[in-house]
Amino acid sequence: MITVTRKGTRELQELPASTDAFVWLRLYQVEMEGSSRKAGASRCGGRCAARLRPLTYHAVHRMFERVGEAAGSSATLHSLRHTAAYRMAEDPLAPD
């Protein structure tokens, strides 16, 4: 499960997520840690300190679009969510 903040109500909601989703999230976090200072400095001419921000849905969506284009895939974040939900629903070892 992954916890997200809903756009409208700002309430926290737990959603099913596949193991792959957590791998991609961690890769994104590592990439941001390694390049955030350089990217932040170039965006504001070195006058502001780079800061890590929470990962937004739009950022993840764009990340999947870029990776999908590079890999020649049409997979989307939405389809991955449905795949994870389907796999969990079909898992005989999953709790009821």
Side-chain angles (χ1 to χ4, degrees), residues 24 60-77 79-80:
W24 283 108
V60 174
H61 181 73
R62 284 295 300 137
M63 178 179 62
F64 272 91
E65 283 182 340
R66 287 191 304 272
V67 170
E69 288 171 8
S73 170
S74 62
T76 64
L77 183 60
S79 65
L80 290 177

Short mmCIF file of all heavy atoms in Angstrom, two decimals, residues 24 60-77 79-80:
data_model
loop_
_atom_site.label_atom_id
_atom_site.label_comp_id
_atom_site.label_asym_id
_atom_site.label_seq_id
_atom_site.Cartn_x
_atom_site.Cartn_y
_atom_site.Cartn_z
N TRP A 24 10.36 2.15 -8.76
CA TRP A 24 10.41 3.38 -9.56
C TRP A 24 10.43 4.61 -8.65
O TRP A 24 11.14 5.58 -8.93
CB TRP A 24 9.24 3.45 -10.52
CG TRP A 24 9.42 2.58 -11.71
CD1 TRP A 24 8.77 1.42 -11.99
CD2 TRP A 24 10.34 2.78 -12.78
NE1 TRP A 24 9.24 0.89 -13.16
CE2 TRP A 24 10.19 1.70 -13.66
CE3 TRP A 24 11.28 3.77 -13.07
CZ2 TRP A 24 10.94 1.58 -14.83
CZ3 TRP A 24 12.03 3.65 -14.24
CH2 TRP A 24 11.85 2.57 -15.08
N VAL A 60 5.02 12.04 -11.22
CA VAL A 60 5.11 10.61 -11.48
C VAL A 60 4.55 10.30 -12.87
O VAL A 60 5.11 9.50 -13.62
CB VAL A 60 4.36 9.80 -10.39
CG1 VAL A 60 4.32 8.32 -10.74
CG2 VAL A 60 5.02 10.00 -9.05
N HIS A 61 3.44 10.94 -13.20
CA HIS A 61 2.82 10.74 -14.51
C HIS A 61 3.80 11.08 -15.63
O HIS A 61 4.00 10.32 -16.58
CB HIS A 61 1.56 11.61 -14.61
CG HIS A 61 0.83 11.47 -15.91
ND1 HIS A 61 0.09 10.36 -16.23
CD2 HIS A 61 0.76 12.31 -16.97
CE1 HIS A 61 -0.43 10.53 -17.43
NE2 HIS A 61 -0.04 11.70 -17.90
N ARG A 62 4.46 12.23 -15.53
CA ARG A 62 5.45 12.64 -16.54
C ARG A 62 6.64 11.70 -16.56
O ARG A 62 7.18 11.37 -17.62
CB ARG A 62 5.93 14.08 -16.28
CG ARG A 62 4.94 15.13 -16.69
CD ARG A 62 4.70 15.16 -18.20
NE ARG A 62 5.95 15.43 -18.91
CZ ARG A 62 6.34 14.79 -20.01
NH1 ARG A 62 5.61 13.86 -20.54
NH2 ARG A 62 7.48 15.08 -20.57
N MET A 63 7.07 11.24 -15.38
CA MET A 63 8.19 10.31 -15.31
C MET A 63 7.84 9.03 -16.08
O MET A 63 8.66 8.55 -16.88
CB MET A 63 8.50 9.97 -13.85
CG MET A 63 9.62 8.98 -13.66
SD MET A 63 9.99 8.62 -11.94
CE MET A 63 8.47 7.90 -11.37
N PHE A 64 6.63 8.50 -15.87
CA PHE A 64 6.22 7.29 -16.59
C PHE A 64 6.09 7.56 -18.09
O PHE A 64 6.41 6.69 -18.91
CB PHE A 64 4.92 6.73 -16.02
CG PHE A 64 5.16 5.78 -14.89
CD1 PHE A 64 5.21 6.24 -13.59
CD2 PHE A 64 5.36 4.44 -15.14
CE1 PHE A 64 5.45 5.37 -12.55
CE2 PHE A 64 5.59 3.56 -14.10
CZ PHE A 64 5.64 4.03 -12.80
N GLU A 65 5.64 8.75 -18.46
CA GLU A 65 5.57 9.07 -19.89
C GLU A 65 6.96 9.06 -20.52
O GLU A 65 7.16 8.48 -21.59
CB GLU A 65 4.91 10.44 -20.09
CG GLU A 65 3.43 10.43 -19.93
CD GLU A 65 2.81 11.80 -20.19
OE1 GLU A 65 3.51 12.82 -20.12
OE2 GLU A 65 1.60 11.83 -20.45
N ARG A 66 7.92 9.72 -19.86
CA ARG A 66 9.29 9.77 -20.40
C ARG A 66 9.91 8.39 -20.50
O ARG A 66 10.52 8.04 -21.51
CB ARG A 66 10.16 10.69 -19.54
CG ARG A 66 9.87 12.16 -19.72
CD ARG A 66 10.93 13.03 -19.07
NE ARG A 66 11.13 12.74 -17.67
CZ ARG A 66 10.44 13.30 -16.67
NH1 ARG A 66 9.49 14.17 -16.93
NH2 ARG A 66 10.70 12.99 -15.42
N VAL A 67 9.76 7.59 -19.44
CA VAL A 67 10.34 6.25 -19.43
C VAL A 67 9.65 5.39 -20.49
O VAL A 67 10.30 4.63 -21.21
CB VAL A 67 10.23 5.62 -18.03
CG1 VAL A 67 10.59 4.14 -18.06
CG2 VAL A 67 11.11 6.36 -17.05
N GLY A 68 8.33 5.52 -20.59
CA GLY A 68 7.58 4.75 -21.58
C GLY A 68 8.00 5.09 -23.00
O GLY A 68 8.15 4.20 -23.84
N GLU A 69 8.19 6.38 -23.26
CA GLU A 69 8.63 6.79 -24.60
C GLU A 69 10.01 6.21 -24.90
O GLU A 69 10.25 5.71 -26.00
CB GLU A 69 8.67 8.32 -24.69
CG GLU A 69 7.30 8.95 -24.74
CD GLU A 69 7.35 10.47 -24.60
OE1 GLU A 69 8.47 11.04 -24.63
OE2 GLU A 69 6.28 11.07 -24.46
N ALA A 70 10.90 6.28 -23.92
CA ALA A 70 12.26 5.76 -24.13
C ALA A 70 12.26 4.25 -24.34
O ALA A 70 13.06 3.73 -25.11
CB ALA A 70 13.14 6.12 -22.93
N ALA A 71 11.32 3.56 -23.67
CA ALA A 71 11.27 2.09 -23.77
C ALA A 71 10.34 1.62 -24.89
O ALA A 71 10.24 0.43 -25.13
CB ALA A 71 10.80 1.51 -22.45
N GLY A 72 9.65 2.55 -25.54
CA GLY A 72 8.71 2.17 -26.58
C GLY A 72 7.46 1.50 -26.03
O GLY A 72 6.87 0.64 -26.67
N SER A 73 7.06 1.91 -24.83
CA SER A 73 5.90 1.30 -24.16
C SER A 73 4.78 2.33 -24.04
O SER A 73 5.02 3.53 -23.98
CB SER A 73 6.31 0.83 -22.77
OG SER A 73 5.18 0.45 -22.02
N SER A 74 3.55 1.83 -23.99
CA SER A 74 2.41 2.72 -23.78
C SER A 74 1.83 2.58 -22.38
O SER A 74 0.72 3.02 -22.11
CB SER A 74 1.33 2.44 -24.83
OG SER A 74 0.88 1.11 -24.68
N ALA A 75 2.57 1.94 -21.46
CA ALA A 75 2.10 1.78 -20.08
C ALA A 75 1.93 3.15 -19.42
O ALA A 75 2.69 4.08 -19.68
CB ALA A 75 3.08 0.94 -19.28
N THR A 76 0.93 3.24 -18.59
CA THR A 76 0.68 4.48 -17.85
C THR A 76 0.64 4.19 -16.36
O THR A 76 0.50 3.03 -15.95
CB THR A 76 -0.67 5.11 -18.25
OG1 THR A 76 -1.72 4.22 -17.86
CG2 THR A 76 -0.74 5.40 -19.74
N LEU A 77 0.76 5.22 -15.56
CA LEU A 77 0.64 5.07 -14.12
C LEU A 77 -0.72 4.49 -13.77
O LEU A 77 -0.84 3.62 -12.90
CB LEU A 77 0.85 6.42 -13.44
CG LEU A 77 0.84 6.44 -11.93
CD1 LEU A 77 1.93 5.54 -11.36
CD2 LEU A 77 1.02 7.86 -11.43
N SER A 79 -2.61 2.48 -15.60
CA SER A 79 -2.66 1.05 -15.92
C SER A 79 -1.87 0.23 -14.91
O SER A 79 -2.27 -0.89 -14.57
CB SER A 79 -2.17 0.78 -17.34
OG SER A 79 -0.81 1.10 -17.48
N LEU A 80 -0.77 0.77 -14.39
CA LEU A 80 -0.01 0.06 -13.37
C LEU A 80 -0.82 -0.09 -12.08
O LEU A 80 -0.75 -1.12 -11.41
CB LEU A 80 1.31 0.77 -13.08
CG LEU A 80 2.36 0.71 -14.18
CD1 LEU A 80 3.58 1.52 -13.78
CD2 LEU A 80 2.75 -0.72 -14.47
#
